[in-house]
Amino acid sequence: MDAQQIGKGKFVVPIGPQHPALKEPGHFEFTVDGEIVTGASVRLGYVHRGIEKGAENRNYTQAMYLMERVCGICSHVHATAFALGTEKLAGITAPPRAQAIRSLVGELERIHSHLLWLGVAAHEGGFDTLFMYSWRDREVVMDLLEGLTGNRVNYSVNVIGGVKVDVDDAQRDAILKGVDFLEERTHHYIKIITTDETLLGRTVGVGVMTKEQAIELGAIGPTGRASGLERDVRVDAPYAGYKDFPVRLVTDEAGDLQARFVVRMKELLESYRLIREILDHLPTGDLTVRAPRRIPAGETVSRVEAPRGELFYYIKSNGTDMPERVKIRTPSLCNWASVINLAPGYKLADMPMILSGIDPCFSCNDRLIKVNDRSVSQVWTWEDLRQHGIEYYR
Amino acid sequence: MDTATALQKAEEILQPLAQEFKHPEADRVDVILAVENLKAAVKRLVEERLGYLVAITGLDVPAKPAAEGETPQGSVDVMYHFAEGAAIITLRVNVPYDAAVVPTVCDVLPAATLYERELIEMLGVTVEGTPVTDHLILPEDWPDGVYPLRKSFTGLKPQGA
C-alpha cells in the first residue's frame, strides 16, 4: 500500500491533508505514470480525538453525548448504537414508540447525509449547479430535524432506555409535507444523474468494483450495495423500529461511480416510504423505561446501519456506572480499502470523484487532540482542553 | 442462512481448532482459540464463506493484584468479529504483555490491514507479517512504547515538562 515502494522513476503526488476531496483532513499519496494512477496510500488520524479512551472515564449518560460527537453528519446512529448496546447489557428494552422514533430520526438523518453527499460528489465532478440545488433541498430536512429535536446537528434524541423527543400532529404534518417535496426533487435528481452527459462522462465505468472485490475488500453500505453486495444491517439484523417497519434492500450490479449515485438516490426514496409508514403507524405509549445507573457486568455488540454503511459497537461493562471499553468501528474505515485498491488504472483527475464516491467521513475514522501553540507542539489533557475552552469563550 | 444455523455451522467448522465455545447472547458465539490456531480458524471461515470480518477489537486486561509468590501479568484480548446476517462469530485470543504477538490475517483477508495497524499502535500488540506497520491514526512523533488504549495510559506529559 505504500506508494513509495511502487517503483522509482515514477512521480508521487501527495494530496492533502488539507481538503483532498472533502473539506476534511486526510493524506493520500498517489504514484502516477503520466496521467494514470499506479499506486495509492492513505494516512488518517488528523482529527483523532481519543473518544474510545474518553468513554472509559465517563458514565453511560456522559459517554452517550461523547458518542454522538463521533460524527457531525451521522450523530444519531452513533447514539442509537450505544443506547441499544447499553440497554442490552442492562436487560431493558425501550418502548415501541421510542424505537419507532429512533428509526424515524435515523431515516431523516440518512436523507440529510445522502443529500449532503450528492452535493459534495457533484461538486467534485465540477457540477456545482447540482451541488447548490441539492444543498438547498437538504435545508428542508435540516429544518424538519430542527423542528423535531431542536438541533440541526447532534440531535440528542436518545437516552438510555428510550428517547426524549415526541412527535406531535403538527410535526407529523410538517414532516409529511417536507418528504413529499423531497421525493419529487429526488426523482428529478435521479433523472439528472442518469441522463446528464457531463456527469455520465465522469461516473460511468469509473472506479468499478465487482461484487467479488467488494467482498474481498470488505466494502459496506451504499458503496458495497452499488456492487451488488446484499448487506444492510436494517435488513439483516433489524434493530430499533426496523423490526416493525421493514426496509427494502436497494442494490445495483454495475459497481461503478454511477451505481453509487443511483443506489444512494434510490435509498432516499426508500427512506421517504419508511418515514410515511412510521408516521402512519406510530405506536402509542411511553417514551422511556427506567434504566439503572450502574450497568451489570457483561459485553455486547451493537450494529446499526449508518448512512455510510454498517456501524459496529463493542461495549464491555464492569458493573460500575462507567464502561470498561467501547470499541467503535465506523463504516468509512472499511471503505478506504476499496479506494486504495480501486484507484490504480484510473486518471489522477478521477481521484476526487473516486474518493468522494465512498462518502468518506474523516471524523468517523479519527477519533487525540494536538494543538500547535507557538510552534511548540504539545498534547493536551482533557483538563487543559476544558480550561482552554472556558478561557476562550470568556 | 438464519442466525441459529450460522452459529451452529461456525461451531461445526471450528470444532477441531477451538478450546471452548461460549454463547453470551442468542445471536453470538465466542470461540476461544490458542494463538497458533487463530489463522487456521480465520481461513476456515473464509473458505466456508461464513460471515465477513466486521472489526478487530483489542481489549486491555490489566494485571490483577498478584497473590503471594506470583508476578502480575497483564494481557490483551484480541477479538475478530465476523458477521453473517444477524449472527456474530467472535474469534478470541488472549496474549500476555511480554508475548503480545498475533499472526496477521491480511494474507487471507486483505481488508484487515487497517484494523491491524490500529491494534498495533493503540494496544501494543505486534502483528507478525502484516504488510504495513506505519502509524495510522497516531501522530508521527508519538513516543514508542506508549499505547493509548492500555488502561495504564492516562495521558502524555507535555513536552519540555
Side-chain angles (χ1 to χ4, degrees):
Chain A
M1 265 186 22
D2 194 341
Q4 305 281 5
Q5 294 165 359
I6 303 292
K8 286 207 163 76
K10 286 188 178 158
F11 214 76
V12 177
V13 180
I15 298 181
Q18 278 80 24
H19 56 81
L22 292 163
K23 308 295 172 269
E24 288 190 84
H27 176 72
F28 303 88
E29 281 183 6
F30 293 107
T31 325
V32 293
D33 186 2
E35 266 292 298
I36 305 298
V37 172
T38 55
S41 75
V42 61
R43 171 78 164 90
L44 304 169
Y46 297 97
V47 283
H48 189 258
R49 290 153 289 159
I51 285 181
E52 289 181 16
K53 185 79 179 175
E56 296 174 11
N57 296 310
R58 279 165 180 77
N59 68 38
Y60 285 91
T61 307
Q62 294 168 325
M64 169 98 90
Y65 284 93
L66 195 60
M67 294 314 155
E68 193 147 18
R69 279 148 185 83
V70 168
C71 180
I73 303 173
C74 49
S75 61
H76 175 72
V77 287
H78 281 270
T80 305
F82 186 71
L84 287 167
T86 310
E87 285 163 11
K88 260 199 273 182
L89 288 169
I92 56 173
T93 314
R97 190 174 176 90
Q99 302 283 26
I101 291 175
R102 281 177 179 170
S103 287
L104 173 72
V105 178
E107 291 310 311
L108 287 170
E109 184 177 69
R110 191 177 318 277
I111 294 170
H112 120 70
S113 178
H114 279 6
L115 286 174
L116 178 116
W117 173 82
L118 177 66
V120 173
H123 172 66
E124 298 306 336
F127 195 172
D128 274 358
T129 318
L130 181 55
F131 161 47
M132 297 292 172
Y133 272 121
S134 62
W135 280 37
R136 182 200 68 181
D137 294 342
R138 175 174 164 264
E139 284 304 308
V140 172
V141 69
M142 298 299 275
D143 287 345
L144 292 177
L145 282 162
E146 189 182 0
L148 195 59
T149 68
N151 295 320
R152 279 168 61 90
V153 287
N154 297 343
Y155 320 111
S156 198
V157 165
N158 285 290
V159 290
I160 292 161
V163 295
K164 56 183 147 182
V165 301
D166 202 358
V167 185
D168 64 25
D169 285 344
Q171 285 163 333
R172 182 175 162 273
D173 293 345
I175 296 174
L176 288 174
K177 204 173 145 208
V179 164
D180 284 344
F181 170 76
L182 289 171
E183 185 166 37
E184 194 193 316
R185 294 299 300 167
T186 307
H187 282 297
H188 175 61
Y189 293 139
I190 291 177
K191 195 175 146 214
I192 292 175
I193 59 177
T194 51
T195 56
D196 184 87
E197 243 356 276
T198 328
L199 200 66
L200 288 177
R202 298 226 48 188
T203 58
V204 174
V206 177
V208 179
M209 175 164 66
T210 62
K211 189 174 175 183
E212 288 301 308
Q213 284 174 313
I215 293 171
E216 190 180 319
L217 298 172
I220 47 164
T223 311
R225 292 196 282 275
S227 296
L229 199 57
E230 291 170 2
R231 253 178 223 169
D232 187 325
V233 185
R234 295 175 295 166
V235 177
D236 299 339
Y239 57 93
Y242 298 110
K243 287 173 198 142
D244 304 322
F245 303 99
V247 179
R248 293 182 204 135
L249 195 68
V250 179
T251 58
D252 199 292
E253 300 301 321
D256 59 359
L257 262 173
Q258 205 224 354
R260 286 167 219 165
F261 272 88
V262 171
V263 163
R264 287 194 178 90
M265 290 306 108
K266 285 187 176 164
E267 284 191 10
L268 283 178
L269 298 176
E270 179 60 13
S271 293
Y272 304 143
R273 184 192 68 80
L274 216 56
I275 288 171
R276 291 194 187 107
E277 192 98 338
I278 294 174
L279 288 172
D280 283 349
H281 303 96
L282 196 62
T284 50
D286 290 339
L287 290 180
T288 50
V289 291
R290 205 178 151 72
R293 203 166 63 85
R294 290 171 199 280
I295 304 295
E299 52 175 41
T300 192
V301 298
S302 176
R303 297 156 69 206
V304 299
E305 187 73 16
R308 285 157 191 75
E310 177 181 350
L311 171 67
F312 173 93
Y313 268 65
Y314 164 91
I315 309 168
K316 186 179 167 67
S317 55
N318 53 13
T320 67
D321 60 352
M322 292 193 278
E324 171 82 9
R325 172 91 167 93
V326 180
K327 159 79 189 173
I328 307 165
R329 201 280 284 128
T330 57
S332 293
L333 192 65
C334 307
N335 283 334
W336 282 122
S338 71
V339 170
I340 300 301
N341 288 282
L342 292 180
Y346 294 97
K347 290 189 180 130
L348 189 61
D350 285 330
M351 289 308 120
M353 286 289 273
I354 292 179
L355 283 177
S356 62
I358 66 163
D359 197 0
C361 176
F362 289 80
S363 55
C364 276
N365 307 302
D366 303 352
R367 279 154 272 123
L368 199 98
I369 289 185
K370 217 175 169 230
V371 180
N372 280 321
D373 187 15
R374 293 188 204 91
S375 78
V376 182
S377 130
Q378 62 174 138
V379 176
W380 285 22
T381 64
W382 177 254
E383 193 45 44
D384 294 341
L385 263 178
R386 199 176 150 263
Q387 216 47 51
H388 177 77
I390 292 169
E391 293 297 326
Y392 188 87
Y393 288 108
R394 179 163 286 176
Chain B
M1 200 183 304
D2 68 50
T3 310
T5 324
L7 295 175
Q8 210 176 354
K9 193 174 167 201
E11 286 202 33
E12 272 164 33
I13 61 177
L14 296 174
Q15 192 66 46
L17 298 163
Q19 288 177 342
E20 197 190 339
F21 294 99
K22 284 185 180 164
H23 306 88
E25 283 166 327
D27 54 358
R28 281 171 59 205
V29 61
D30 278 16
V31 187
I32 321 286
L33 292 162
V35 182
E36 52 273 21
N37 286 336
L38 174 68
K39 197 144 165 181
V42 173
K43 254 188 195 142
R44 287 293 293 139
L45 287 179
V46 173
E47 280 164 13
E48 297 283 335
R49 293 229 158 191
L50 190 65
Y52 62 97
L53 181 66
V54 185
I56 302 178
T57 303
L59 173 69
D60 183 33
V61 188
K64 289 201 179 77
E68 224 169 295
E70 282 175 18
T71 0
Q73 165 83 292
S75 61
V76 179
D77 267 348
V78 185
M79 292 167 251
Y80 298 74
H81 310 279
F82 287 82
E84 173 70 48
I88 301 275
I89 303 144
T90 305
L91 308 181
R92 292 182 84 121
V93 296
N94 179 275
V95 287
Y97 285 167
D98 60 2
V101 185
V102 294
T104 180
V105 297
C106 284
D107 42 350
V108 195
L109 288 168
T113 169
L114 294 175
Y115 308 137
E116 293 191 337
R117 286 168 72 180
E118 194 181 344
L119 190 67
I120 297 169
E121 61 183 357
M122 301 307 275
L123 282 138
V125 175
T126 309
V127 181
E128 224 160 37
T130 192
V132 186
T133 54
D134 296 349
H135 277 306
L136 177 71
I137 34 192
L138 293 180
E140 307 294 352
D141 55 355
W142 187 264
D144 287 341
V146 178
Y147 307 116
L149 281 179
R150 291 246 180 126
K151 288 282 177 188
S152 54
F153 177 83
T154 52
L156 285 182
K157 287 195 183 70
Q159 272 173 22

